[in-house]
Amino acid sequence: ETGVTQTPRHLVMGMTNKKSLKCEQHLGHNAMYWYKQSAKKPLELMFVYNFKEQTENNSVPSRFSPECPNSSHLFLHLHTLQPEDSALYLCASSNREAGYTFGSGTRLTVV
Amino acid sequence: GENVEQHPSTLSVQEGDSAVIKCTYSDSASNYFPWYKQELGKGPQLIIDIRSNVGEKKDQRIAVTLNKTAKHFSLHITETQPEDSAVYFCAASGTNGGSQGNLIFGKGTKLSVKP
């Protein structure tokens, strides 16, 4: 375990479903991130939160909705997704003294 | 914004040989350059990093070099072992990747070490 826990590990959802991804860190980091990892593409930054405040939304479609209730928890709410949204969704956390620590990811399949 | 290019996309070496992966970046203000290793079914794990005030850093069989003038940095793995097989990512940011700078990643290099 890296200290960043993501659940669920795997998720299959229909295009009309609503689901949420969860990320939790107890490393004392103040920044949390959502990345999307698709085959043959670089890791794509989606959202950044610093001290619970969203500081970056990297032109992500509104069908992805992040939530950061506190500095240890981060959610990604999903609704009306498309098949091309199928990917590995990675959560990471960091602070100024340490680099990024990633979770193991949620493998999402949209059918 | 920052753009990171990584080469090669795939690399196959014999066990015991060395492997070198190269990255270039575009933003001269970037000063933190980590390398991540991603094994199947896992998230990327930090293996080594370097800051712009250092030209080289070594940790056992892994070393990273940085040329700020040319804006490129490289990962060197010596005496490769089958367990080194994974996808390696380079990244760059304006700080150590904390709240004032976001990591921009290269596309990754799939390293295969043949026994």
Side-chain angles (χ1 to χ4, degrees):
Chain A
E1 284 296 333
T2 64
V4 178
T5 304
Q6 289 188 245
T7 53
R9 291 296 307 274
H10 301 274
L11 178 62
V12 179
M13 61 186 288
M15 289 189 285
T16 59
N17 291 161
K18 289 185 180 181
K19 296 286 183 182
S20 296
L21 310 184
K22 180 181 177 181
C23 177
E24 186 174 353
Q25 61 94 3
H26 294 289
L27 300 171
H29 291 170
N30 52 266
M32 296 188 77
Y33 312 80
W34 279 116
Y35 276 87
K36 176 183 179 182
Q37 187 175 35
S38 306
K40 304 193 178 184
K41 285 187 176 181
L43 283 157
E44 299 174 62
L45 179 64
M46 299 176 71
F47 300 104
V48 181
Y49 279 82
N50 285 298
F51 297 101
K52 305 187 304 176
E53 298 298 321
Q54 184 174 317
T55 56
E56 187 152 343
N57 175 340
N58 210 21
S59 302
V60 180
S62 60
R63 57 185 184 271
F64 295 91
S65 175
E67 179 189 1
C68 189
N70 55 61
S71 57
S72 298
H73 294 84
L74 185 65
F75 295 89
L76 188 62
H77 303 300
L78 316 170
H79 65 95
T80 59
L81 295 191
Q82 304 298 311
E84 59 265 29
D85 296 322
S86 298
L88 180 68
Y89 288 84
L90 289 161
C91 173
S93 68
S94 74
N95 61 23
R96 286 187 61 86
E97 290 70 46
Y100 284 28
T101 300
F102 282 90
S104 296
T106 295
R107 174 68 63 186
L108 173 67
T109 303
V110 181
V111 297
Chain B
E2 176 65 275
N3 182 51
V4 177
E5 298 286 338
Q6 183 172 347
H7 299 281
S9 57
T10 59
L11 179 59
S12 182
V13 300
Q14 286 295 132
E15 182 177 0
D17 287 350
S18 295
V20 180
I21 303 170
K22 298 182 179 181
C23 288
T24 60
Y25 61 99
S26 61
D27 188 350
S28 57
S30 290
N31 58 10
Y32 176 65
F33 308 93
W35 285 89
Y36 286 83
K37 175 183 180 182
Q38 186 173 24
E39 296 174 312
L40 203 60
K42 297 183 179 180
Q45 303 293 308
L46 178 69
I47 57 171
I48 195 168
D49 57 14
I50 191 168
R51 289 174 171 77
S52 59
N53 57 346
V54 176
E56 183 174 358
K57 184 176 178 180
K58 191 172 182 180
D59 182 4
Q60 299 182 339
R61 296 186 296 108
I62 294 173
V64 57
T65 59
L66 172 64
N67 184 327
K68 283 222 72 178
T69 303
K71 290 191 280 189
H72 65 70
F73 55 113
S74 300
L75 178 70
H76 304 254
I77 306 174
T78 59
E79 301 172 28
T80 53
Q81 300 167 6
E83 52 265 39
D84 294 328
S85 297
V87 179
Y88 291 81
F89 293 94
C90 64
S93 84
T95 65
N96 64 350
S99 59
Q100 293 182 6
N102 299 323
L103 282 179
I104 305 300
F105 287 84
K107 288 188 177 182
T109 296
K110 184 176 182 180
L111 174 65
S112 300
V113 180
K114 298 180 179 179

PDB file of all heavy atoms in Angstrom, chain B residues 82-110:
ATOM      1  N   PRO B  82      14.822  -8.980 -14.629  1.00  0.00           N
ATOM      2  CA  PRO B  82      13.443  -9.154 -15.123  1.00  0.00           C
ATOM      3  C   PRO B  82      12.420  -8.338 -14.341  1.00  0.00           C
ATOM      4  O   PRO B  82      11.450  -7.854 -14.921  1.00  0.00           O
ATOM      5  CB  PRO B  82      13.222 -10.664 -14.970  1.00  0.00           C
ATOM      6  CG  PRO B  82      14.585 -11.253 -15.114  1.00  0.00           C
ATOM      7  CD  PRO B  82      15.515 -10.271 -14.456  1.00  0.00           C
ATOM      8  N   GLU B  83      12.643  -8.141 -13.057  1.00  0.00           N
ATOM      9  CA  GLU B  83      11.681  -7.374 -12.257  1.00  0.00           C
ATOM     10  C   GLU B  83      11.708  -5.872 -12.560  1.00  0.00           C
ATOM     11  O   GLU B  83      10.867  -5.119 -12.061  1.00  0.00           O
ATOM     12  CB  GLU B  83      11.895  -7.612 -10.758  1.00  0.00           C
ATOM     13  CG  GLU B  83      13.311  -7.409 -10.283  1.00  0.00           C
ATOM     14  CD  GLU B  83      14.093  -8.712 -10.234  1.00  0.00           C
ATOM     15  OE1 GLU B  83      13.929  -9.571 -11.137  1.00  0.00           O
ATOM     16  OE2 GLU B  83      14.901  -8.864  -9.289  1.00  0.00           O
ATOM     17  N   ASP B  84      12.666  -5.455 -13.385  1.00  0.00           N
ATOM     18  CA  ASP B  84      12.676  -4.061 -13.840  1.00  0.00           C
ATOM     19  C   ASP B  84      11.661  -3.845 -14.968  1.00  0.00           C
ATOM     20  O   ASP B  84      11.387  -2.695 -15.342  1.00  0.00           O
ATOM     21  CB  ASP B  84      14.061  -3.652 -14.338  1.00  0.00           C
ATOM     22  CG  ASP B  84      15.098  -3.629 -13.231  1.00  0.00           C
ATOM     23  OD1 ASP B  84      14.743  -3.333 -12.073  1.00  0.00           O
ATOM     24  OD2 ASP B  84      16.284  -3.924 -13.534  1.00  0.00           O
ATOM     25  N   SER B  85      11.114  -4.927 -15.513  1.00  0.00           N
ATOM     26  CA  SER B  85      10.134  -4.814 -16.593  1.00  0.00           C
ATOM     27  C   SER B  85       8.887  -4.095 -16.092  1.00  0.00           C
ATOM     28  O   SER B  85       8.268  -4.513 -15.106  1.00  0.00           O
ATOM     29  CB  SER B  85       9.759  -6.208 -17.122  1.00  0.00           C
ATOM     30  OG  SER B  85      10.877  -6.852 -17.683  1.00  0.00           O
ATOM     31  N   ALA B  86       8.538  -3.006 -16.752  1.00  0.00           N
ATOM     32  CA  ALA B  86       7.414  -2.161 -16.332  1.00  0.00           C
ATOM     33  C   ALA B  86       7.312  -1.012 -17.330  1.00  0.00           C
ATOM     34  O   ALA B  86       8.084  -0.921 -18.274  1.00  0.00           O
ATOM     35  CB  ALA B  86       7.637  -1.604 -14.920  1.00  0.00           C
ATOM     36  N   VAL B  87       6.354  -0.114 -17.079  1.00  0.00           N
ATOM     37  CA  VAL B  87       6.270   1.126 -17.847  1.00  0.00           C
ATOM     38  C   VAL B  87       6.859   2.244 -16.985  1.00  0.00           C
ATOM     39  O   VAL B  87       6.513   2.379 -15.811  1.00  0.00           O
ATOM     40  CB  VAL B  87       4.820   1.464 -18.242  1.00  0.00           C
ATOM     41  CG1 VAL B  87       4.780   2.773 -19.013  1.00  0.00           C
ATOM     42  CG2 VAL B  87       4.223   0.328 -19.074  1.00  0.00           C
ATOM     43  N   TYR B  88       7.764   3.010 -17.569  1.00  0.00           N
ATOM     44  CA  TYR B  88       8.424   4.097 -16.859  1.00  0.00           C
ATOM     45  C   TYR B  88       7.943   5.437 -17.417  1.00  0.00           C
ATOM     46  O   TYR B  88       7.871   5.626 -18.641  1.00  0.00           O
ATOM     47  CB  TYR B  88       9.939   3.976 -16.995  1.00  0.00           C
ATOM     48  CG  TYR B  88      10.488   2.790 -16.248  1.00  0.00           C
ATOM     49  CD1 TYR B  88      10.437   1.515 -16.808  1.00  0.00           C
ATOM     50  CD2 TYR B  88      11.051   2.931 -14.981  1.00  0.00           C
ATOM     51  CE1 TYR B  88      10.924   0.408 -16.116  1.00  0.00           C
ATOM     52  CE2 TYR B  88      11.545   1.834 -14.284  1.00  0.00           C
ATOM     53  CZ  TYR B  88      11.471   0.574 -14.856  1.00  0.00           C
ATOM     54  OH  TYR B  88      11.949  -0.511 -14.164  1.00  0.00           O
ATOM     55  N   PHE B  89       7.628   6.357 -16.510  1.00  0.00           N
ATOM     56  CA  PHE B  89       7.179   7.690 -16.893  1.00  0.00           C
ATOM     57  C   PHE B  89       8.127   8.742 -16.347  1.00  0.00           C
ATOM     58  O   PHE B  89       8.498   8.690 -15.164  1.00  0.00           O
ATOM     59  CB  PHE B  89       5.782   7.982 -16.323  1.00  0.00           C
ATOM     60  CG  PHE B  89       4.685   7.140 -16.901  1.00  0.00           C
ATOM     61  CD1 PHE B  89       4.297   5.960 -16.275  1.00  0.00           C
ATOM     62  CD2 PHE B  89       4.034   7.525 -18.059  1.00  0.00           C
ATOM     63  CE1 PHE B  89       3.284   5.177 -16.798  1.00  0.00           C
ATOM     64  CE2 PHE B  89       3.012   6.745 -18.594  1.00  0.00           C
ATOM     65  CZ  PHE B  89       2.640   5.573 -17.961  1.00  0.00           C
ATOM     66  N   CYS B  90       8.462   9.709 -17.182  1.00  0.00           N
ATOM     67  CA  CYS B  90       9.149  10.886 -16.692  1.00  0.00           C
ATOM     68  C   CYS B  90       8.116  11.988 -16.512  1.00  0.00           C
ATOM     69  O   CYS B  90       7.011  11.916 -17.049  1.00  0.00           O
ATOM     70  CB  CYS B  90      10.244  11.336 -17.652  1.00  0.00           C
ATOM     71  SG  CYS B  90       9.634  11.885 -19.272  1.00  0.00           S
ATOM     72  N   ALA B  91       8.463  13.013 -15.740  1.00  0.00           N
ATOM     73  CA  ALA B  91       7.549  14.126 -15.507  1.00  0.00           C
ATOM     74  C   ALA B  91       8.354  15.365 -15.165  1.00  0.00           C
ATOM     75  O   ALA B  91       9.530  15.289 -14.791  1.00  0.00           O
ATOM     76  CB  ALA B  91       6.557  13.791 -14.392  1.00  0.00           C
ATOM     77  N   ALA B  92       7.701  16.517 -15.303  1.00  0.00           N
ATOM     78  CA  ALA B  92       8.337  17.789 -14.976  1.00  0.00           C
ATOM     79  C   ALA B  92       7.316  18.711 -14.335  1.00  0.00           C
ATOM     80  O   ALA B  92       6.126  18.649 -14.646  1.00  0.00           O
ATOM     81  CB  ALA B  92       8.911  18.434 -16.240  1.00  0.00           C
ATOM     82  N   SER B  93       7.799  19.543 -13.415  1.00  0.00           N
ATOM     83  CA  SER B  93       6.897  20.543 -12.829  1.00  0.00           C
ATOM     84  C   SER B  93       7.710  21.732 -12.343  1.00  0.00           C
ATOM     85  O   SER B  93       8.932  21.676 -12.247  1.00  0.00           O
ATOM     86  CB  SER B  93       6.097  19.968 -11.665  1.00  0.00           C
ATOM     87  OG  SER B  93       6.841  20.026 -10.474  1.00  0.00           O
ATOM     88  N   GLY B  94       6.988  22.791 -12.011  1.00  0.00           N
ATOM     89  CA  GLY B  94       7.628  24.027 -11.588  1.00  0.00           C
ATOM     90  C   GLY B  94       8.116  24.014 -10.165  1.00  0.00           C
ATOM     91  O   GLY B  94       8.880  24.856  -9.761  1.00  0.00           O
ATOM     92  N   THR B  95       7.654  23.028  -9.374  1.00  0.00           N
ATOM     93  CA  THR B  95       8.179  22.883  -8.006  1.00  0.00           C
ATOM     94  C   THR B  95       8.415  21.409  -7.800  1.00  0.00           C
ATOM     95  O   THR B  95       8.638  20.681  -8.753  1.00  0.00           O
ATOM     96  CB  THR B  95       7.193  23.418  -6.953  1.00  0.00           C
ATOM     97  OG1 THR B  95       6.024  22.603  -6.975  1.00  0.00           O
ATOM     98  CG2 THR B  95       6.813  24.851  -7.236  1.00  0.00           C
ATOM     99  N   ASN B  96       8.307  20.944  -6.575  1.00  0.00           N
ATOM    100  CA  ASN B  96       8.475  19.507  -6.355  1.00  0.00           C
ATOM    101  C   ASN B  96       7.192  18.762  -6.602  1.00  0.00           C
ATOM    102  O   ASN B  96       7.001  17.660  -6.144  1.00  0.00           O
ATOM    103  CB  ASN B  96       8.955  19.251  -4.926  1.00  0.00           C
ATOM    104  CG  ASN B  96       7.910  19.699  -3.914  1.00  0.00           C
ATOM    105  OD1 ASN B  96       6.941  20.356  -4.282  1.00  0.00           O
ATOM    106  ND2 ASN B  96       8.090  19.349  -2.667  1.00  0.00           N
ATOM    107  N   GLY B  97       6.273  19.334  -7.298  1.00  0.00           N
ATOM    108  CA  GLY B  97       5.010  18.670  -7.569  1.00  0.00           C
ATOM    109  C   GLY B  97       3.965  18.967  -6.520  1.00  0.00           C
ATOM    110  O   GLY B  97       2.907  18.384  -6.509  1.00  0.00           O
ATOM    111  N   GLY B  98       4.255  19.911  -5.649  1.00  0.00           N
ATOM    112  CA  GLY B  98       3.301  20.242  -4.601  1.00  0.00           C
ATOM    113  C   GLY B  98       2.279  21.241  -5.073  1.00  0.00           C
ATOM    114  O   GLY B  98       2.020  21.377  -6.250  1.00  0.00           O
ATOM    115  N   SER B  99       1.759  21.994  -4.177  1.00  0.00           N
ATOM    116  CA  SER B  99       0.582  22.786  -4.467  1.00  0.00           C
ATOM    117  C   SER B  99       0.833  23.898  -5.472  1.00  0.00           C
ATOM    118  O   SER B  99      -0.101  24.450  -6.011  1.00  0.00           O
ATOM    119  CB  SER B  99       0.029  23.372  -3.176  1.00  0.00           C
ATOM    120  OG  SER B  99       1.021  24.176  -2.560  1.00  0.00           O
ATOM    121  N   GLN B 100       2.107  24.222  -5.742  1.00  0.00           N
ATOM    122  CA  GLN B 100       2.325  25.324  -6.665  1.00  0.00           C
ATOM    123  C   GLN B 100       2.748  24.873  -8.045  1.00  0.00           C
ATOM    124  O   GLN B 100       3.082  25.675  -8.881  1.00  0.00           O
ATOM    125  CB  GLN B 100       3.367  26.276  -6.080  1.00  0.00           C
ATOM    126  CG  GLN B 100       2.863  26.976  -4.832  1.00  0.00           C
ATOM    127  CD  GLN B 100       3.877  27.961  -4.293  1.00  0.00           C
ATOM    128  OE1 GLN B 100       4.898  28.200  -4.907  1.00  0.00           O
ATOM    129  NE2 GLN B 100       3.603  28.504  -3.141  1.00  0.00           N
ATOM    130  N   GLY B 101       2.757  23.588  -8.301  1.00  0.00           N
ATOM    131  CA  GLY B 101       3.125  23.120  -9.629  1.00  0.00           C
ATOM    132  C   GLY B 101       2.562  21.751  -9.869  1.00  0.00           C
ATOM    133  O   GLY B 101       2.645  20.895  -9.008  1.00  0.00           O
ATOM    134  N   ASN B 102       1.966  21.544 -11.036  1.00  0.00           N
ATOM    135  CA  ASN B 102       1.387  20.247 -11.358  1.00  0.00           C
ATOM    136  C   ASN B 102       2.333  19.472 -12.251  1.00  0.00           C
ATOM    137  O   ASN B 102       2.931  20.024 -13.168  1.00  0.00           O
ATOM    138  CB  ASN B 102       0.050  20.432 -12.059  1.00  0.00           C
ATOM    139  CG  ASN B 102      -0.942  21.172 -11.183  1.00  0.00           C
ATOM    140  OD1 ASN B 102      -0.979  20.972  -9.974  1.00  0.00           O
ATOM    141  ND2 ASN B 102      -1.743  22.017 -11.788  1.00  0.00           N
ATOM    142  N   LEU B 103       2.448  18.192 -12.002  1.00  0.00           N
ATOM    143  CA  LEU B 103       3.309  17.337 -12.800  1.00  0.00           C
ATOM    144  C   LEU B 103       2.719  17.125 -14.187  1.00  0.00           C
ATOM    145  O   LEU B 103       1.535  16.808 -14.320  1.00  0.00           O
ATOM    146  CB  LEU B 103       3.501  15.983 -12.129  1.00  0.00           C
ATOM    147  CG  LEU B 103       4.479  15.903 -10.961  1.00  0.00           C
ATOM    148  CD1 LEU B 103       4.509  14.497 -10.414  1.00  0.00           C
ATOM    149  CD2 LEU B 103       5.871  16.340 -11.385  1.00  0.00           C
ATOM    150  N   ILE B 104       3.553  17.301 -15.200  1.00  0.00           N
ATOM    151  CA  ILE B 104       3.198  16.971 -16.568  1.00  0.00           C
ATOM    152  C   ILE B 104       4.018  15.747 -16.948  1.00  0.00           C
ATOM    153  O   ILE B 104       5.246  15.766 -16.826  1.00  0.00           O
ATOM    154  CB  ILE B 104       3.475  18.141 -17.528  1.00  0.00           C
ATOM    155  CG1 ILE B 104       2.755  19.402 -17.055  1.00  0.00           C
ATOM    156  CG2 ILE B 104       3.051  17.767 -18.952  1.00  0.00           C
ATOM    157  CD1 ILE B 104       1.252  19.275 -16.964  1.00  0.00           C
ATOM    158  N   PHE B 105       3.353  14.710 -17.430  1.00  0.00           N
ATOM    159  CA  PHE B 105       4.001  13.423 -17.675  1.00  0.00           C
ATOM    160  C   PHE B 105       4.320  13.201 -19.145  1.00  0.00           C
ATOM    161  O   PHE B 105       3.625  13.697 -20.036  1.00  0.00           O
ATOM    162  CB  PHE B 105       3.089  12.287 -17.215  1.00  0.00           C
ATOM    163  CG  PHE B 105       2.992  12.148 -15.721  1.00  0.00           C
ATOM    164  CD1 PHE B 105       2.100  12.916 -14.991  1.00  0.00           C
ATOM    165  CD2 PHE B 105       3.802  11.247 -15.050  1.00  0.00           C
ATOM    166  CE1 PHE B 105       2.015  12.790 -13.613  1.00  0.00           C
ATOM    167  CE2 PHE B 105       3.720  11.114 -13.674  1.00  0.00           C
ATOM    168  CZ  PHE B 105       2.827  11.891 -12.958  1.00  0.00           C
ATOM    169  N   GLY B 106       5.373  12.429 -19.392  1.00  0.00           N
ATOM    170  CA  GLY B 106       5.632  11.901 -20.723  1.00  0.00           C
ATOM    171  C   GLY B 106       4.693  10.743 -20.991  1.00  0.00           C
ATOM    172  O   GLY B 106       3.931  10.322 -20.117  1.00  0.00           O
ATOM    173  N   LYS B 107       4.742  10.187 -22.212  1.00  0.00           N
ATOM    174  CA  LYS B 107       3.815   9.138 -22.612  1.00  0.00           C
ATOM    175  C   LYS B 107       4.188   7.760 -22.081  1.00  0.00           C
ATOM    176  O   LYS B 107       3.403   6.829 -22.185  1.00  0.00           O
ATOM    177  CB  LYS B 107       3.712   9.080 -24.137  1.00  0.00           C
ATOM    178  CG  LYS B 107       2.951  10.243 -24.741  1.00  0.00           C
ATOM    179  CD  LYS B 107       2.708  10.029 -26.229  1.00  0.00           C
ATOM    180  CE  LYS B 107       1.888  11.166 -26.809  1.00  0.00           C
ATOM    181  NZ  LYS B 107       1.591  10.963 -28.245  1.00  0.00           N
ATOM    182  N   GLY B 108       5.373   7.629 -21.552  1.00  0.00           N
ATOM    183  CA  GLY B 108       5.765   6.360 -20.972  1.00  0.00           C
ATOM    184  C   GLY B 108       6.641   5.525 -21.887  1.00  0.00           C
ATOM    185  O   GLY B 108       6.581   5.641 -23.120  1.00  0.00           O
ATOM    186  N   THR B 109       7.464   4.684 -21.265  1.00  0.00           N
ATOM    187  CA  THR B 109       8.316   3.739 -21.983  1.00  0.00           C
ATOM    188  C   THR B 109       8.081   2.353 -21.395  1.00  0.00           C
ATOM    189  O   THR B 109       8.234   2.162 -20.176  1.00  0.00           O
ATOM    190  CB  THR B 109       9.809   4.087 -21.826  1.00  0.00           C
ATOM    191  OG1 THR B 109      10.066   5.347 -22.432  1.00  0.00           O
ATOM    192  CG2 THR B 109      10.700   3.015 -22.455  1.00  0.00           C
ATOM    193  N   LYS B 110       7.692   1.420 -22.248  1.00  0.00           N
ATOM    194  CA  LYS B 110       7.504   0.047 -21.788  1.00  0.00           C
ATOM    195  C   LYS B 110       8.830  -0.682 -21.885  1.00  0.00           C
ATOM    196  O   LYS B 110       9.329  -0.947 -22.987  1.00  0.00           O
ATOM    197  CB  LYS B 110       6.439  -0.664 -22.613  1.00  0.00           C
ATOM    198  CG  LYS B 110       6.135  -2.068 -22.103  1.00  0.00           C
ATOM    199  CD  LYS B 110       5.014  -2.715 -22.876  1.00  0.00           C
ATOM    200  CE  LYS B 110       4.700  -4.097 -22.329  1.00  0.00           C
ATOM    201  NZ  LYS B 110       3.601  -4.757 -23.072  1.00  0.00           N
TER     202      LYS B 110
END
